Amino acid sequence: MGQLLMTHAWDNPVGIGVDVHVHRISNRLGWVKTEKPEQTRKQLETWLPREYWGKNGINKLLVGFGQTVCSPVSPSCTRCLVNYLCPSAFDFKKFKPLSQQQKLQLQQESQNIA
């Protein structure tokens, strides 16, 4: 987590701070396919522009999102405004399987909200 220290203490983003939230959500969205946060950090840094590495970047965005909407055990896919972009949306045990038609309908509804 030295990346977070450098970013927040000295305003010098030398890398992306990847915690469990950033790691989990990056994998759920299909941005990376990794098993460890350090692997996630390295893969994200290969394509995510440096301007999103800093204080108001990807870490700040995904940590809050992971705490309130995209939780580890029971994500609130129905509350998520970007569920139509997520390959993992509605693919959890608490949801009964959706038909392809139901998935398309939910995606259309989500797009109308955004």
Side-chain angles (χ1 to χ4, degrees), residues 24 28 65-83 86 88-92 94-95 110:
R24 179 180 66 252
R28 280 188 180 164
F65 182 68
Q67 291 171 338
T68 58
V69 179
C70 195
S71 58
V73 178
S74 297
S76 299
C77 298
T78 55
R79 288 183 34 223
C80 179
L81 296 178
V82 293
N83 62 24
C86 181
S88 302
F90 305 103
D91 191 26
F92 298 94
K94 78 171 195 170
F95 298 108
S110 296

Side-chain angles (χ1 to χ4, degrees), residues 10-23:
W10 289 284
D11 198 22
N12 181 15
V14 295
I16 299 172
V18 175
D19 66 349
V20 294
H21 304 292
V22 177
H23 173 65

Side-chain angles (χ1 to χ4, degrees), residues 32-63:
V32 297
K33 290 188 189 302
T34 59
E35 294 181 15
K36 298 182 181 183
E38 181 64 14
Q39 296 167 332
T40 300
R41 180 188 68 80
K42 288 178 181 178
Q43 284 192 24
L44 287 174
E45 288 176 358
T46 65
W47 62 268
L48 191 68
R50 284 187 78 90
E51 64 192 83
Y52 299 113
W53 295 13
K55 287 182 182 178
N56 294 313
I58 192 75
N59 182 277
K60 183 176 181 178
L61 176 73
L62 293 184
V63 168

